[in-house]
Amino acid sequence: MSAGAMGETAKPMLQVVDLTLRYGALTAVDSVNLTVSAGSRHALIGPNGAGKSSLFAVLGGTIRATTGQILIDGEDVTAQNEVGRARRGLLRTFQHSSLFMGLSAVDNVRLAVERKEGSPLRPWPSRRRDRRVTERAEEFLETVGLTSRRDDIAESLSHGERRQLEVALVLACSPRLVLFDEPTAGMSAAETHRFAELVEALPSSVTTVIVEHDLDVVYRLAQRISVLAAGRLICEGTPDDVRADEAVNEAYLRAGRSEEPLFTDRPASLSVTRPDDEENEVPR
């Protein structure tokens, strides 16, 4: 399916209109149009240098687009920075963990809950408020499967567990749209499987856009996939549409990937190692 055949019938949570980002003479993102339906799981893929990170930086508000428009749930946020977009429900995770490594898992989430609730600084503690904040933090830890690591400092968590903790922080901020930037990078196969399960279990009120190099993860999670090459959107459709698209396969081959199909045909249940295989796996 070509980029021109885009279009989703559900209410859009994210709309990108003729978005362009230039660094001097270099065009990193070239007239991209993208629509992501509310509640959907959308993936953004492409070979190295395709412009995925640049597009994510513009969507997240860390870089201002040269031209174009970005709308969240119909509201134009093009001129808003990262903080302004976060207030409207857009949150982004990064390739590297952004946790308070010296704090416990529960205290990391407590900070996110307090920030969301706008809890004021007080010269004396409020036991009722503190108890409520802690209970909410524990609920989010349970959601991501980290109850047993409640009191462990973030630095002691495995790479995969840190990613789980980041998701707990994101959920504590009540997001409507989450941008996952290469979330499984550096994970073992078992950690990748657990993270995929976590994304699958997110409520339908949370729309997700994922930049991910592990195409098995993309094929498992995404309902729709957009493909970038040289800053341009060259294809959008279902995983099957994208897997069969000649332009997509050609773009990956030109980037130096092997001559295997874009996606393997193995069953989804085998695409990511399950946790009980963890003892025999080698981290990637």
Side-chain angles (χ1 to χ4, degrees), residues 43-47 225-229 232-236 242 248 252:
L44 181 66
I45 66 171
I225 301 172
S226 298
V227 187
L228 281 177
R232 291 178 176 269
L233 188 63
I234 63 170
C235 178
E236 182 176 329
V242 171
V248 174
Y252 271 80

Side-chain angles (χ1 to χ4, degrees), residues 6 23 37 51 55 59 64 76-77 114 151 187 203 223 251 255 270:
M6 294 184 302
Y23 298 106
S37 298
L55 178 56
L59 295 179
R64 176 73 66 89
D76 190 342
V77 298
E114 289 176 341
D151 297 316
M187 286 189 185
Q223 298 162 330
L270 300 180

Side-chain angles (χ1 to χ4, degrees), residues 91 109 112-113 116 136 139-141 143-144 164-175 178 180 198 201-203 205-206:
L91 294 177
V109 185
V113 173
K116 172 60 180 176
R136 289 290 290 156
E139 290 173 5
F140 292 119
L141 286 178
T143 297
V144 302
Q164 291 171 252
L165 182 56
E166 285 183 332
V167 174
L169 268 63
V170 167
L171 293 176
C173 295
S174 301
V178 180
F180 286 110
L198 180 57
L202 290 176
S205 59
V206 179

Side-chain angles (χ1 to χ4, degrees), residues 86-107:
R87 288 172 178 163
R88 281 150 185 81
L90 186 153
L91 294 177
R92 177 187 176 190
T93 69
F94 292 85
Q95 296 179 26
H96 303 287
S97 296
S98 53
L99 303 169
F100 292 99
M101 292 299 181
L103 295 181
S104 68
V106 70
D107 283 340

Side-chain angles (χ1 to χ4, degrees), residues 194-223:
R194 283 195 291 266
F195 187 87
E197 286 186 323
L198 180 57
V199 174
E200 288 173 331
L202 290 176
S204 60
S205 59
V206 179
T207 305
T208 60
V209 181
I210 305 172
V211 165
E212 180 56 63
H213 283 292
D214 188 330
L215 296 180
D216 284 330
V217 173
V218 169
Y219 192 45
R220 171 177 174 175
L221 293 178
Q223 298 162 330

